[in-house]
Amino acid sequence: ADELAPVIDVVISAFPNVTVTQPLSGSTVIHGSTITVTVDATDDNWLEYLELFGNGDYLGSEWGGNPAPYLFPVVVPGEVVSLTLSAVAYDGDGNVMASAPVVLNAVPDPLTTVTGRVLDPNGQPVAGASVIATGDRAAATALDGRFTITDVPTILGNVGVLARAPQDGLVLNAR
């Protein structure tokens, strides 16, 4: 008697592909700054979710149903000399794949110096004006209206200054 052997279909699912595409390995980032980490990931079936890690610590996750690329805002930790980023992709078939590591150089904020001159509406120097720069750094103007503010953070975006000076019973403000 001929017996029929059972037929078992085996479906082989590929592992996900995952790559940290930005920033590039070897780039320099500043302590305390927020960078955008871009991850590309694909799968032959469906991508369930991704996780991002920095120096081995979990930084966030993204649902795989969203279209690539996947963007993660990351604050660069202080007091580290490097930041190693890696992403892990999970697919719906239970396959897991980690990206190649991306190693970034991490440095303290280089800070900057802001110099300028405060003049009244008639173009005359204003002595003793209080000048405050981004990051709450401050100085007073000299007799010629000039000021220098050191150690102003650069990671907060464009540097701005506000000058305040009492004059003729009024407080003049200027940006």
Side-chain angles (χ1 to χ4, degrees), residues 51 122 130:
E51 292 178 327
N122 298 318
S130 173

Short mmCIF file of all heavy atoms in Angstrom, two decimals, residues 51 122 130:
data_model
loop_
_atom_site.label_atom_id
_atom_site.label_comp_id
_atom_site.label_asym_id
_atom_site.label_seq_id
_atom_site.Cartn_x
_atom_site.Cartn_y
_atom_site.Cartn_z
N GLU A 51 15.25 49.81 17.26
CA GLU A 51 15.74 50.42 18.49
C GLU A 51 17.08 51.07 18.19
O GLU A 51 17.85 50.56 17.37
CB GLU A 51 15.92 49.39 19.59
CG GLU A 51 14.62 48.80 20.08
CD GLU A 51 14.83 47.74 21.15
OE1 GLU A 51 15.85 47.02 21.12
OE2 GLU A 51 13.94 47.64 22.02
N ASN A 122 21.29 108.30 18.83
CA ASN A 122 22.05 109.35 18.13
C ASN A 122 23.42 108.88 17.68
O ASN A 122 24.22 109.69 17.20
CB ASN A 122 22.18 110.57 19.04
CG ASN A 122 20.83 111.15 19.39
OD1 ASN A 122 19.95 111.26 18.54
ND2 ASN A 122 20.65 111.52 20.67
N SER A 130 24.20 97.04 30.38
CA SER A 130 24.27 95.62 30.66
C SER A 130 23.98 94.86 29.37
O SER A 130 22.95 95.09 28.74
CB SER A 130 23.24 95.26 31.73
OG SER A 130 23.17 93.88 31.91
#
